[in-house]
């Protein structure tokens, strides 16, 4: 990912949810911070999707946006850091967008689920190798 693609990461996450079928109202209805109960409004989400938000959302807003998008908070925080600060986390730098999402989801899993994911990936790789 290069240039402008990095500058709109959080906006793209909101756009993707909307394009996938969630209305801005659907997103706003889910945009509730699980810690404080604070919400993010439909107009704010619309502005965010259009790249019209000039300042980075704070931690409470980011958690609410993560809830709206049904994405791990770490993914949303990284997207905001890239978009508003130009910062890319070292642990995901160099990955394409698909790998970054996979790594972020795996990172948020409890250890037992992560082991099941690993076993699934390893079984898939064995099956693929047998097909060759």
């Amino acid at each position: 990912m290069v240039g402008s693609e990095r500058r709109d990461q959080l906006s793209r996450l909101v756009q993707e949810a909307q394009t996938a079928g969630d209305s801005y109202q659907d997103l706003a209805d889910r945009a509730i911070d699980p810690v404080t109960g604070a919400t993010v409004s439909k107009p704010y989400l619309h502005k965010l999707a259009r790249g019209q938000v000039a300042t980075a959302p704070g931690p409470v807003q980011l958690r609410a946006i993560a809830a709206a998008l049904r994405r791990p908070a770490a993914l949303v925080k990284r997207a905001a850091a890239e978009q508003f600060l130009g910062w890319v986390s070292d642990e995901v730098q160099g990955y394409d967008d698909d790998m970054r999402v996979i790594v972020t989801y795996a990172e948020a899993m409890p250890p037992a689920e992560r082991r099941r994911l690993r076993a699934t990936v390893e079984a898939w790789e064995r099956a693929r190798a047998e097909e060759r």
Side-chain angles (χ1 to χ4, degrees):
M1 220 180 289
V2 294
S4 64
E5 292 178 13
R6 282 207 193 274
R7 289 194 299 262
D8 67 352
Q9 288 300 303
L10 185 56
S11 293
R12 283 181 3 137
L13 288 176
V14 177
Q15 290 167 3
E16 288 170 4
Q18 203 272 328
T19 301
D22 284 325
S23 69
Y24 289 113
Q25 187 61 57
D26 294 334
L27 295 173
D29 290 346
R30 292 194 306 261
I32 303 168
D33 174 23
V35 176
T36 66
T39 62
V40 172
S41 70
K42 175 182 169 182
Y44 181 85
L45 292 166
H46 188 258
K47 287 179 183 179
L48 183 59
R50 296 182 64 189
Q52 297 174 335
V53 173
T55 59
V60 171
Q61 288 174 302
L62 289 172
R63 289 190 304 260
I65 293 167
L69 299 176
R70 296 181 174 142
R71 299 285 191 114
L75 178 70
V76 173
K77 288 176 186 178
R78 285 184 185 124
E82 289 180 20
Q83 180 165 332
F84 293 99
L85 303 174
W87 179 80
V88 180
S89 173
D90 290 340
E91 69 265 18
V92 294
Q93 194 166 10
Y95 290 129
D96 67 12
D97 201 37
D98 291 331
M99 278 304 300
R100 292 162 31 135
V101 169
I102 291 166
V103 167
T104 301
Y105 272 104
E107 177 181 75
M109 290 177 174
E113 287 183 26
R114 215 173 309 140
R115 285 190 295 276
R116 280 193 293 272
L117 177 61
R118 178 181 176 171
T120 300
V121 170
E122 289 172 346
W124 175 81
E125 182 57 33
R126 282 191 302 275
R128 194 173 77 126
E130 289 173 6
E131 290 175 358
R132 292 180 195 159

